[in-house]
Amino acid sequence: MYVFMKLQQHGGASLSSSGEREALEGRNSRRWRGEAGRARRGQPPSPAAPEDALCAIAVVGHGCPLYPRLPGRDCSGRTLQSDDAVETTADRDAEGRSPASHQLGHRSDGPACTPVQRALLELTVPLETLQAVKGRMMQAMREGLSRQTHARANVRMLPTYICSTPDGTEKGDLLVVELCQSHVRTLWVTLLGDGNQSPQVMYKIFSMPGDITQGKGEALFDFIAQCVCQFLAGIGSPQHRVPLGFVFPFSCRQTRLDKAELISWSKGFSCSDVEGKDVVQLLQAAINKQELCHVDVVALMNDTVGTMMTCGMGGGPCEVALIVDTGTNSCFMAEAQQVEMAEETSGRMCVNTEWGCFGDDGTLSDILTPYDQRVDQESSNPGEKRFEKLVGSLYLGEIVRHALITLAAEKVLFAGSNVAVLRTKDVLKSQQVLEIIDSEEGMTKARRALEVLGLRPSERDCCRVQQICRAVVSRAAALCAAGLAAILSHMCQSRELERLVVNVGVDGELYRGYTRFKEILQSVTGLLAPECTVTLLPSVDGTGRGAAMVTAVALRLAAHRREVDQLLAPLRLSRADLERVQALMRQEMELGLGRESNANASVRMLPTYVRGTPDGTERGEFLALDLGGTNFRVLVVRVGQDGIRMASEIYIIPTAIMQGSGEALFDHIMECIMDFQMKQALMEQVLPLGFTFSFPCQQLGLDKAVLLCWTKGFNASGCVGQDVVQLLREAAQRKQHLGLKVVAVVNDTVGTMMACGYDDPNCEIGLIVGTGTNACYMEEMRNVGTVEGEQGRMCINMEWGAFGDNGCLDGFFTNYDRLVDEKTINAGKQRFEKLISGMYLGEIVRHVLLALVEKQLLFRGKACPKLQTRDIFQTKFLSTIEIDGLALWKVRAILEDLELQASFEDSVLVREVCQTVSLRAAQLCAAGLAAVVEKMRENRGLAQLAVTVGVDGTLYKMHPRFSQHLQQMLRDLAPNCTVTFLQSEDGSGKGAALVAAVACRGTEP
C-alpha cells in the first residue's frame, strides 16, 4: 500500500487513525501492490481493481488524490461544462447514475483501469516498496562506508573531513567562492561570535563565458581567481590573511578538508586536465598568479554540506542535509569509525552520500516505469544517476512528457491535436510541472503551457495532465523520503539510540517550489523511520553562508586543535623518550642487583628465594592467603594429577583497620583464616600455607620478609621494618590457633608468574598492572649480589613501582603528574607506579580536563565544581570511554553522571584525553618490560629470546586497548625477543599455593 488519507471536505488531507489505516492496509495493500506491479509490466489490470479502491489512494499531506474522483469533474471536484465533459445531467439514468460505459474504469468486458489510471498506478510507489527501497539504500550506504566494498559501491559515501557543526562561537572575516552552472559567486561574510544570528554578507555575481565550461581547466580556475581579485578590490582589498571556502558542486574524493580530487564532471562541465587532480591546489595556484598571496583556500565542500552547516547556525545543530534541485544529494554526520575510507577514528565526520547514483546497479528496476526508461535512454549518461533521474527536477518534466506521449498515443489526451511537438526533448520544463500542480492556478497554468506547444487541450486534458504532474512530483518526494529514512535509521542504529531527534536542512527547487513536497517528505519519512523525530529546516543560502560556516568551523577547530595538542604534548612520548626510559630501567636494575649499590637504587630488585617454577609434579593440599588491597582472600588449593581445584572466600578489610595498628590488622587477618578453616572443616589439619603479601618487602628467606613500606592506601602502624610472617604467627598465638604453617611469603607478582608457570613452563616473568604495578623475573644467581650463591636462578621481585623515586625520571613527569603526586599519602614515592597504575590514571585525566576547562577548550570554559573533587574521575571510566565503537551518547552519559554538561565535541575531547593518558601508561610499562627481557636475553647469551609473561591486574585485563599498546611497543623496543603474554587466573591465590607446593616438593625425600 501507499499512504492512506482522510479526504476532508475542504480538500485537505490528514493521516487516518491507526485503526482505520490498519483496516485499509489489511484489505487493500496486497491488491494495490499487485495492480501497481501489473501496470508497470504492461499487463491488464485484475478484475478486482474497482474504481473506489483506486480513488482511495492519496499522498500524505496532499489535498487531492492521485486519481480522479469522478468522471466529468476536474481535480477540484467541479463539474465540467465544456463539450469535453464525459457526461451531462441528461446522460444519467433514473437514479442519477452514469451509464456503465462512462463510469471510471468500467468497460463492457468487466472492470478495468483506464490508460490514465494505469499511468497513475505506474507512478505510484507502494509503502511496502518504499520500505524495500529504504533497506536497499541502507545496504548501499554500508557498502560505500566499507573499505572493502567502497570501490564498487553506487552510493559513494565520500568523507568530507568536516568533523563538527557550528557552535555559535565562530567569528571573523571569511571569503567564499561558489562555482555555479553559469556564473561564479563571491561572498564576504563576517561572523560576530553571537551564535551566528546576524552574519554580515556582501556578494557579487560574475557571469561565466559560455565556452569556459568546455575548455581547459586552467582557464576555468584562472577565471575564478580573477573574480576573487576583482571582488576583493571592490570591497577594499584587505591585506590580512583571508581564509577562503570553495563551493565546488561536483563529485570529489577528499583526503583532507583542503584536498580533493575531482572524480568526474557533471552538469554540463567537461574542462580538460582537471579530473583526478586536486581542485583546491588548482584554485590556490590560480589565486597566487593573481598575487593574492594572503588568500588561503582552507576548505572545499559541495552545496549539500553547505546546506547542513547553514541550517545549524541557529538553534540546535543540524546533522543531515538534503538537496532536491536539478540534481539531488544528501549528507549527514556519521560515526567516524564507520567511515573506513578516512583515517579519523574518533568523533563524527560529515559524509557526502552522492546518492544520485543509487540504483545504477539495477536495485531500482522494480520501480522504474517505461517513462523513466525513455528519459534515461535520451540522457547524456544512460544507465547512470538512476535515483537522481527519478527525483531531480532536471528530469521531472521529461518523465511527464513521456507519460503524455503514451497517453496521447492511446487517444485519451489531446484529441484532434497534433502531438508531434511532445516528441521534442525538454519541451516541457520542470518549472512548468511545478506550476501545474498548484491547486489554485494549476489548471490555468496547464492550459497555457499546453497551448504554447500548439496543443488544444480540453479541461479534462488539463485535469489529467495535472494529475500526472502531481504523481511524478509526489513519487519524487516519497523516494526522497525513503532515502532520508535510510540515513536516519542508519544514524539511530550506529549511535545505539532508541530514538533519534535530529534537524535536517533541506534546499532545492522542488522543496521550495512545491508546498506539498515538504508535507509528503515529512509524513512518509515518519512512516518509514518511526524511531526518528525529524525537523525539516529550510536552508538560507546554503552554498554561500553555509560555505562560510564550514570555513569558520574549520578555522575554529584548527585553533582548538593547536591548543589541545600543546596541552597534551607533555603526555605524548616519542620513540626516543621510551628508549631512554628503557635504558634508565636497565641502569636501575643493575644498581639494585649490586651488593654495594642496592641501597641507592630506586628499583630494589629484591630476592624472593623462589628458585624454581612448577614442573607438574606438585601434589597435595595447601592454604593460600592473598593480601593486596581492601579485599583479603583465604583459599584452599588442591593440586592433583588431574589439575588444580580451589575453594575460597573474600573478606573485607575496613579502612579503620588498614590505617590502624599492625596488631589489629593481623588479628583481623587471623580471624578471617580461622573462619574459613571452620567453614571448610580444616581446623584439625595443618596444611602448608603460601602468603601473598603484595607490598614492598625485603625477603630474607622464603618464609621471612621485612616490610619496607606500605602502599595502596595501607598505613598500619608498627609493621614497617618487621617480618610480616612473624607478625602473622604472633597473631595466631594471640588467637590460640596453633595449626598455622607458613612455608612461603610472596607478592602477587611472583604468585602470578608461578600460577602461569603451572600452565606454561616457559613463563619466567610476572607482571601486575592493576591498582598498582610491579614485575618479577628469573635472574641468574651469579648476577644477584645481595644473596650468596652462583648456581641456578632466583626470582627477583623488582618493585619497579618506585622506579624514578631517585629523580632519574623527573624529565618525564608532567605538571599533571606532580599535581597527582602531591595529594597522595606517599608523595615523592612510587613515582613510576603513579604514571602507570589504575589507582592514578583517572586523577591524571581529571587534572588534564581541568586544564582544558581553564583554557576554555572544554565544556565551553564553564566552571565544573564536581570536577574539582579528587578521585571523582575513576580509572574505570577510561576503560569504558575507550571501548571501540562506544556510542558518544554513552560517553556523554558518563560525564553527565559526574554533573558535567558535555557537548558532542566535549565527549570526543574527553575520549582523546583518556586515550592519551592510557597510551602513555602502556608505553612506559612496555619500556620497563623491554629492559627486563633484553637483560634476560643477554644473560643467557641468546640471539633471540622466547619467553612468556604471566600477567594480571584489572587495568591490563579490563582496559580495551592497554594490552594491545603494551605488546606493540614491546615488539618495537625489544625486536630480538619473542614475548608471549598469558593472563593469570588467580595468580595471587593459586600462585601462592604453588610457591608452597614447589617449596614442599624440594624438601621431600
Side-chain angles (χ1 to χ4, degrees), residues 235-255:
I235 63 173
S237 192
Q239 293 303 306
H240 59 272
R241 303 299 297 182
V242 177
L244 183 149
F246 184 24
V247 182
F248 189 73
F250 302 96
S251 181
C252 291
R253 183 180 295 105
Q254 280 191 259
T255 53

Side-chain angles (χ1 to χ4, degrees), residues 915-958:
Q915 290 170 337
T916 302
V917 171
S918 64
L919 174 62
R920 182 186 68 154
Q923 290 176 333
L924 287 170
C925 191
L929 201 55
V932 173
V933 296
E934 277 296 309
K935 187 176 192 313
M936 293 177 69
R937 184 184 67 81
E938 292 175 15
N939 285 346
R940 303 176 187 188
L942 299 174
Q944 189 77 25
L945 172 71
V947 68
T948 297
V949 178
V951 61
D952 203 352
T954 52
L955 185 59
Y956 184 91
K957 288 183 172 180
M958 303 303 293

